[in-house]
Tab-separated table of all heavy atoms in Angstrom:
chain	number	residue	atom	x	y	z
A	1	ASN	N	-8.859	-1.603	-0.204
A	1	ASN	CA	-9.959	-2.128	-1.012
A	1	ASN	C	-10.207	-1.248	-2.241
A	1	ASN	O	-11.347	-0.953	-2.604
A	1	ASN	CB	-11.238	-2.276	-0.190
A	1	ASN	CG	-12.209	-3.271	-0.814
A	1	ASN	OD1	-11.834	-4.055	-1.700
A	1	ASN	ND2	-13.456	-3.251	-0.375
A	2	GLU	N	-9.112	-0.813	-2.852
A	2	GLU	CA	-9.163	-0.007	-4.066
A	2	GLU	C	-8.114	-0.527	-5.050
A	2	GLU	O	-7.271	-1.354	-4.694
A	2	GLU	CB	-8.884	1.473	-3.756
A	2	GLU	CG	-9.844	2.134	-2.788
A	2	GLU	CD	-11.256	2.325	-3.360
A	2	GLU	OE1	-11.465	2.041	-4.561
A	2	GLU	OE2	-12.138	2.748	-2.590
A	3	THR	N	-8.166	-0.052	-6.267
A	3	THR	CA	-7.196	-0.458	-7.278
A	3	THR	C	-5.849	0.210	-7.002
A	3	THR	O	-5.773	1.425	-6.806
A	3	THR	CB	-7.672	-0.068	-8.684
A	3	THR	OG1	-8.921	-0.717	-8.948
A	3	THR	CG2	-6.665	-0.500	-9.739
A	4	ALA	N	-4.790	-0.587	-6.986
A	4	ALA	CA	-3.432	-0.081	-6.817
A	4	ALA	C	-2.638	-0.414	-8.076
A	4	ALA	O	-2.831	-1.472	-8.672
A	4	ALA	CB	-2.767	-0.704	-5.595
A	5	PHE	N	-1.763	0.502	-8.469
A	5	PHE	CA	-0.965	0.221	-9.663
A	5	PHE	C	0.376	0.939	-9.608
A	5	PHE	O	0.583	1.858	-8.804
A	5	PHE	CB	-1.723	0.595	-10.940
A	5	PHE	CG	-1.995	2.065	-11.129
A	5	PHE	CD1	-1.129	2.863	-11.860
A	5	PHE	CD2	-3.134	2.649	-10.583
A	5	PHE	CE1	-1.380	4.211	-12.044
A	5	PHE	CE2	-3.401	4.003	-10.766
A	5	PHE	CZ	-2.517	4.784	-11.504
A	6	ALA	N	1.288	0.485	-10.462
A	6	ALA	CA	2.605	1.106	-10.594
A	6	ALA	C	2.782	1.556	-12.035
A	6	ALA	O	2.300	0.899	-12.967
A	6	ALA	CB	3.703	0.120	-10.213
A	7	ALA	N	3.461	2.676	-12.213
A	7	ALA	CA	3.703	3.218	-13.547
A	7	ALA	C	5.168	3.549	-13.716
A	7	ALA	O	5.851	3.897	-12.747
A	7	ALA	CB	2.854	4.464	-13.780
A	8	ILE	N	5.657	3.421	-14.947
A	8	ILE	CA	7.036	3.768	-15.272
A	8	ILE	C	7.040	4.807	-16.386
A	8	ILE	O	5.992	5.108	-16.968
A	8	ILE	CB	7.841	2.528	-15.716
A	8	ILE	CG1	7.174	1.883	-16.946
A	8	ILE	CG2	7.964	1.528	-14.579
A	8	ILE	CD1	7.997	0.766	-17.564
A	9	TRP	N	8.205	5.341	-16.673
A	9	TRP	CA	8.326	6.343	-17.728
A	9	TRP	C	8.475	5.666	-19.085
A	9	TRP	O	9.188	4.667	-19.224
A	9	TRP	CB	9.526	7.241	-17.474
A	9	TRP	CG	9.655	8.361	-18.472
A	9	TRP	CD1	10.545	8.455	-19.498
A	9	TRP	CD2	8.853	9.537	-18.521
A	9	TRP	NE1	10.340	9.618	-20.195
A	9	TRP	CE2	9.310	10.304	-19.615
A	9	TRP	CE3	7.791	10.015	-17.750
A	9	TRP	CZ2	8.746	11.528	-19.958
A	9	TRP	CZ3	7.223	11.237	-18.081
A	9	TRP	CH2	7.700	11.980	-19.169
A	10	SER	N	7.793	6.189	-20.076
A	10	SER	CA	7.920	5.728	-21.455
A	10	SER	C	8.207	6.947	-22.326
A	10	SER	O	8.077	8.088	-21.862
A	10	SER	CB	6.631	5.041	-21.914
A	10	SER	OG	5.653	6.003	-22.298
A	11	PRO	N	8.588	6.763	-23.585
A	11	PRO	CA	8.846	7.914	-24.459
A	11	PRO	C	7.642	8.839	-24.625
A	11	PRO	O	7.799	9.995	-25.018
A	11	PRO	CB	9.224	7.263	-25.794
A	11	PRO	CG	9.787	5.937	-25.409
A	11	PRO	CD	8.962	5.503	-24.237
A	12	GLU	N	6.449	8.334	-24.310
A	12	GLU	CA	5.239	9.139	-24.446
A	12	GLU	C	4.673	9.597	-23.111
A	12	GLU	O	3.590	10.180	-23.063
A	12	GLU	CB	4.182	8.351	-25.220
A	12	GLU	CG	4.587	7.994	-26.641
A	12	GLU	CD	3.559	7.143	-27.339
A	12	GLU	OE1	2.646	7.711	-27.969
A	12	GLU	OE2	3.651	5.904	-27.247
A	13	GLY	N	5.403	9.337	-22.040
A	13	GLY	CA	4.943	9.750	-20.725
A	13	GLY	C	4.730	8.572	-19.797
A	13	GLY	O	5.092	7.431	-20.119
A	14	PRO	N	4.140	8.796	-18.610
A	14	PRO	CA	3.924	7.716	-17.641
A	14	PRO	C	3.032	6.619	-18.209
A	14	PRO	O	2.001	6.899	-18.834
A	14	PRO	CB	3.235	8.429	-16.473
A	14	PRO	CG	3.618	9.859	-16.620
A	14	PRO	CD	3.701	10.109	-18.095
A	15	MET	N	3.427	5.380	-17.972
A	15	MET	CA	2.694	4.228	-18.495
A	15	MET	C	2.472	3.203	-17.390
A	15	MET	O	3.380	2.910	-16.615
A	15	MET	CB	3.471	3.589	-19.641
A	15	MET	CG	2.791	2.389	-20.289
A	15	MET	SD	3.798	1.663	-21.616
A	15	MET	CE	5.140	0.936	-20.659
A	16	ILE	N	1.249	2.671	-17.307
A	16	ILE	CA	0.911	1.681	-16.277
A	16	ILE	C	1.642	0.369	-16.551
A	16	ILE	O	1.585	-0.169	-17.656
A	16	ILE	CB	-0.611	1.454	-16.218
A	16	ILE	CG1	-1.306	2.759	-15.789
A	16	ILE	CG2	-0.947	0.317	-15.245
A	16	ILE	CD1	-2.822	2.670	-15.801
A	17	LEU	N	2.327	-0.138	-15.526
A	17	LEU	CA	3.146	-1.347	-15.650
A	17	LEU	C	2.503	-2.564	-14.986
A	17	LEU	O	2.495	-3.656	-15.552
A	17	LEU	CB	4.518	-1.096	-15.013
A	17	LEU	CG	5.475	-2.270	-14.936
A	17	LEU	CD1	5.979	-2.625	-16.329
A	17	LEU	CD2	6.660	-1.944	-14.019
A	18	ARG	N	1.983	-2.391	-13.788
A	18	ARG	CA	1.377	-3.475	-13.009
A	18	ARG	C	0.185	-2.914	-12.258
A	18	ARG	O	0.129	-1.725	-11.958
A	18	ARG	CB	2.367	-4.046	-11.986
A	18	ARG	CG	3.532	-4.824	-12.569
A	18	ARG	CD	3.129	-6.247	-12.919
A	18	ARG	NE	4.291	-7.060	-13.215
A	18	ARG	CZ	4.920	-7.083	-14.382
A	18	ARG	NH1	4.508	-6.294	-15.353
A	18	ARG	NH2	5.979	-7.875	-14.567
A	19	PHE	N	-0.785	-3.782	-11.905
A	19	PHE	CA	-1.884	-3.330	-11.066
A	19	PHE	C	-2.444	-4.489	-10.264
A	19	PHE	O	-2.221	-5.660	-10.581
A	19	PHE	CB	-2.996	-2.674	-11.906
A	19	PHE	CG	-3.874	-3.639	-12.645
A	19	PHE	CD1	-5.055	-4.117	-12.089
A	19	PHE	CD2	-3.528	-4.074	-13.918
A	19	PHE	CE1	-5.869	-5.007	-12.771
A	19	PHE	CE2	-4.324	-4.961	-14.611
A	19	PHE	CZ	-5.499	-5.429	-14.035
A	20	ALA	N	-3.153	-4.140	-9.194
A	20	ALA	CA	-3.853	-5.126	-8.364
A	20	ALA	C	-5.258	-4.597	-8.135
A	20	ALA	O	-5.428	-3.446	-7.710
A	20	ALA	CB	-3.121	-5.336	-7.040
A	21	ALA	N	-6.264	-5.410	-8.426
A	21	ALA	CA	-7.657	-4.994	-8.310
A	21	ALA	C	-8.221	-5.394	-6.946
A	21	ALA	O	-7.813	-6.414	-6.376
A	21	ALA	CB	-8.490	-5.611	-9.427
A	22	PRO	N	-9.167	-4.626	-6.402
A	22	PRO	CA	-9.783	-4.956	-5.111
A	22	PRO	C	-10.828	-6.058	-5.275
A	22	PRO	O	-11.190	-6.431	-6.392
A	22	PRO	CB	-10.434	-3.633	-4.696
A	22	PRO	CG	-10.809	-3.006	-5.998
A	22	PRO	CD	-9.689	-3.354	-6.946
A	23	TRP	N	-11.340	-6.531	-4.140
A	23	TRP	CA	-12.330	-7.597	-4.199
A	23	TRP	C	-13.721	-7.072	-4.516
A	23	TRP	O	-14.603	-7.811	-4.940
A	23	TRP	CB	-12.374	-8.349	-2.869
A	23	TRP	CG	-12.712	-7.484	-1.674
A	23	TRP	CD1	-11.829	-6.953	-0.797
A	23	TRP	CD2	-14.006	-7.046	-1.246
A	23	TRP	NE1	-12.476	-6.209	0.160
A	23	TRP	CE2	-13.820	-6.255	-0.082
A	23	TRP	CE3	-15.298	-7.248	-1.707
A	23	TRP	CZ2	-14.881	-5.662	0.592
A	23	TRP	CZ3	-16.361	-6.655	-1.035
A	23	TRP	CH2	-16.146	-5.868	0.098
A	24	ARG	N	-13.975	-5.785	-4.307
A	24	ARG	CA	-15.322	-5.230	-4.500
A	24	ARG	C	-15.765	-5.393	-5.956
A	24	ARG	O	-14.956	-5.311	-6.888
A	24	ARG	CB	-15.370	-3.766	-4.062
A	24	ARG	CG	-14.495	-2.831	-4.839
A	24	ARG	CD	-14.773	-1.357	-4.488
A	24	ARG	NE	-14.075	-0.895	-3.295
A	24	ARG	CZ	-14.698	-0.508	-2.192
A	24	ARG	NH1	-16.003	-0.543	-2.109
A	24	ARG	NH2	-13.997	-0.077	-1.155
A	25	PRO	N	-17.053	-5.625	-6.202
A	25	PRO	CA	-17.554	-5.877	-7.562
A	25	PRO	C	-17.431	-4.691	-8.508
A	25	PRO	O	-17.305	-4.858	-9.709
A	25	PRO	CB	-19.032	-6.253	-7.339
A	25	PRO	CG	-19.376	-5.649	-6.014
A	25	PRO	CD	-18.130	-5.736	-5.201
A	26	VAL	N	-17.496	-3.473	-7.966
A	26	VAL	CA	-17.371	-2.279	-8.802
A	26	VAL	C	-16.124	-1.523	-8.365
A	26	VAL	O	-16.014	-1.092	-7.220
A	26	VAL	CB	-18.615	-1.369	-8.675
A	26	VAL	CG1	-18.419	-0.123	-9.535
A	26	VAL	CG2	-19.870	-2.114	-9.087
A	27	ALA	N	-15.185	-1.396	-9.295
A	27	ALA	CA	-13.915	-0.720	-8.982
A	27	ALA	C	-13.444	0.035	-10.210
A	27	ALA	O	-13.907	-0.199	-11.321
A	27	ALA	CB	-12.869	-1.737	-8.536
A	28	VAL	N	-12.518	0.950	-9.990
A	28	VAL	CA	-11.930	1.693	-11.103
A	28	VAL	C	-10.956	0.769	-11.826
A	28	VAL	O	-10.031	0.220	-11.223
A	28	VAL	CB	-11.190	2.943	-10.600
A	28	VAL	CG1	-10.505	3.657	-11.769
A	28	VAL	CG2	-12.159	3.883	-9.906
A	29	ASN	N	-11.181	0.581	-13.119
A	29	ASN	CA	-10.329	-0.301	-13.904
A	29	ASN	C	-9.156	0.464	-14.511
A	29	ASN	O	-9.297	1.611	-14.930
A	29	ASN	CB	-11.127	-0.955	-15.035
A	29	ASN	CG	-12.174	-1.922	-14.510
A	29	ASN	OD1	-11.935	-2.641	-13.545
A	29	ASN	ND2	-13.337	-1.945	-15.140
A	30	VAL	N	-8.001	-0.172	-14.542
A	30	VAL	CA	-6.835	0.372	-15.240
A	30	VAL	C	-6.309	-0.711	-16.171
A	30	VAL	O	-6.569	-1.903	-15.971
A	30	VAL	CB	-5.729	0.819	-14.258
A	30	VAL	CG1	-6.232	1.909	-13.338
A	30	VAL	CG2	-5.212	-0.363	-13.439
A	31	ARG	N	-5.585	-0.300	-17.183
A	31	ARG	CA	-5.041	-1.254	-18.139
A	31	ARG	C	-3.531	-1.110	-18.255
A	31	ARG	O	-3.023	0.010	-18.335
A	31	ARG	CB	-5.676	-1.056	-19.523
A	31	ARG	CG	-7.156	-1.434	-19.586
A	31	ARG	CD	-7.647	-1.389	-21.014
A	31	ARG	NE	-7.463	-0.056	-21.613
A	31	ARG	CZ	-7.742	0.220	-22.882
A	31	ARG	NH1	-8.174	-0.728	-23.689
A	31	ARG	NH2	-7.564	1.455	-23.346
A	32	ILE	N	-2.845	-2.242	-18.265
A	32	ILE	CA	-1.400	-2.238	-18.454
A	32	ILE	C	-1.078	-1.647	-19.829
A	32	ILE	O	-1.696	-2.001	-20.830
A	32	ILE	CB	-0.826	-3.662	-18.332
A	32	ILE	CG1	-0.987	-4.172	-16.897
A	32	ILE	CG2	0.638	-3.699	-18.747
A	32	ILE	CD1	-0.565	-5.606	-16.693
A	33	GLY	N	-0.136	-0.727	-19.845
A	33	GLY	CA	0.242	-0.084	-21.091
A	33	GLY	C	-0.450	1.240	-21.337
A	33	GLY	O	-0.085	1.973	-22.261
A	34	SER	N	-1.453	1.566	-20.498
A	34	SER	CA	-2.161	2.833	-20.669
A	34	SER	C	-1.250	3.999	-20.293
A	34	SER	O	-0.496	3.933	-19.323
A	34	SER	CB	-3.412	2.873	-19.792
A	34	SER	OG	-4.348	1.897	-20.217
């Protein structure tokens, strides 16, 4: 019941590729490409 995500390597360092958000109304947000 938390945010899960995957990251890959980019020329500038680790970058978020995919994520899955939990059902709870308040969760830690992540953005693809961050």
Side-chain angles (χ1 to χ4, degrees):
N1 201 15
E2 300 291 354
T3 300
F5 66 94
I8 59 172
W9 184 255
S10 81
E12 298 176 89
M15 181 181 70
I16 296 176
L17 175 70
R18 291 279 192 278
F19 77 92
W23 59 261
R24 63 171 83 244
V26 178
V28 176
N29 293 322
V30 299
R31 292 188 302 176
I32 293 175
S34 295

